[in-house]
Amino acid sequence: VVHGTITDLTLENCKVSNSGMCGILAAECGNSTGSLNAQIVNVHAVNCSVTVSGASAATEMGGLSAAAGNAKFSDCSYGGTLSTNRGGYCGGLVGKVVYESTIERCSADVTMTITSGNQNGGILGAPTAGKKVTISDCFTTGAIKGGGSYMGGITGEMSSGSTCQRCWSGMTLSGGYAHGGITGRCCNLENPNSKNSFGTDMNITVKDCIAWNASITTTTAAGENPSTHYSSGAVTAFNVYKNTLQNCWRRPDMTFHV
């Protein structure tokens, strides 16, 4: 667990594995109550691998940190692989934001292989419901592939008040459903399909972003009704009605496979 500041650090050819929360740098930067903070500046992981395996429920994993709370990541990068047979909240840089955090000028060149589990993204897996995250000036390359849903080239999900701006992704995405070139599901406090309400997780902003993903693929499990596969999109996937999508661009020859 990291509290305080880490700066100007490069980690090369590192491998970590665990049955729970896992990241090259830390399991958690900051904490979930916001009483402690972390500043991660100019930290880079080169040719590294993170592996989570076990029989338990989904867990967080990230290239640098599994979780972040009251944390700021600036000018950082991750290059390598992430793999899990469990999945859920997997991010090329950070797995899960558990208290308001910021990620700026960061990048990931990562291949993520996820057997199952949702909320997976090139920079961030997702925030905890209701916890705001700001992601800016980031870019990603590589691929996310597996059985999970809610994938994004930058972040798998976003919550109320969150912003993703001036980001670029060239990742290929393949898995369940609700995949977006930049963001996956822009609604994570409750599922409006089951609650019959679109009054949560509002005021999410995605602006000035470029989705340069070559392909976005949704898959259907054996015996599954294809009609449950909803709302993949070139830039963003599933949205509630009071979000903002502004001045974003998509690759003109992007292909969708369903």
Side-chain angles (χ1 to χ4, degrees):
V1 179
V2 171
H3 304 147
T5 300
I6 295 179
T7 185
D8 301 326
L9 174 66
T10 298
L11 302 165
E12 297 183 0
N13 304 314
C14 296
K15 296 181 179 181
V16 296
S17 61
N18 198 5
S19 59
M21 296 172 65
C22 197
I24 287 289
L25 185 67
E28 185 175 45
C29 292
N31 68 354
S32 60
T33 65
S35 60
L36 300 171
N37 64 70
Q39 303 279 334
I40 312 300
V41 182
N42 196 33
V43 173
H44 306 280
V46 181
N47 192 31
C48 294
S49 69
V50 179
T51 303
V52 171
S53 61
S56 301
T59 189
E60 302 91 352
M61 63 182 297
L64 292 187
S65 182
N70 193 15
K72 185 175 184 179
F73 291 78
S74 303
D75 304 294
C76 297
S77 68
Y78 179 83
T81 62
L82 282 78
S83 60
T84 177
N85 68 340
R86 293 161 61 180
Y89 295 103
C90 299
L93 206 76
V94 176
K96 187 176 187 178
V97 163
V98 295
Y99 196 90
E100 183 173 335
S101 294
T102 298
I103 304 173
E104 61 184 15
R105 301 185 304 278
C106 293
S107 65
D109 179 12
V110 59
T111 298
M112 299 170 58
T113 305
I114 301 148
T115 302
S116 63
N118 305 326
Q119 295 98 9
N120 308 301
I123 291 291
L124 169 68
T128 300
K131 302 303 181 182
K132 184 171 69 173
V133 61
T134 299
I135 305 173
S136 60
D137 303 295
C138 295
F139 72 90
T140 61
T141 54
I144 306 175
K145 50 189 178 181
S149 298
Y150 317 141
M151 292 183 187
I154 298 296
T155 179
E157 280 190 346
M158 298 181 74
S159 59
S160 186
S162 294
T163 298
C164 180
Q165 59 188 355
R166 299 186 302 277
C167 292
W168 180 97
S169 178
M171 301 190 84
T172 59
L173 309 174
S174 61
Y177 55 85
H179 306 331
I182 298 297
T183 64
R185 189 172 69 162
C186 294
C187 170
N188 77 351
L189 186 58
E190 65 180 36
N191 186 342
N193 281 347
S194 61
K195 299 288 186 177
N196 297 313
S197 170
F198 286 80
T200 62
D201 279 343
M202 298 182 290
N203 302 318
I204 295 169
T205 299
V206 180
K207 65 180 182 179
D208 303 323
C209 292
I210 299 175
W212 210 250
N213 319 72
S215 65
I216 296 175
T217 303
T218 63
T219 58
T220 303
E224 188 176 9
N225 181 358
S227 67
T228 64
H229 286 240
Y230 57 85
S231 303
S232 287
V235 178
T236 68
F238 190 90
N239 287 272
V240 295
Y241 69 96
K242 289 188 177 180
N243 293 335
T244 299
L245 177 64
Q246 178 181 336
N247 195 35
C248 293
W249 300 82
R250 57 163 285 180
R251 179 172 173 153
D253 60 347
M254 181 188 294
T255 59
F256 288 87
H257 303 275
V258 294

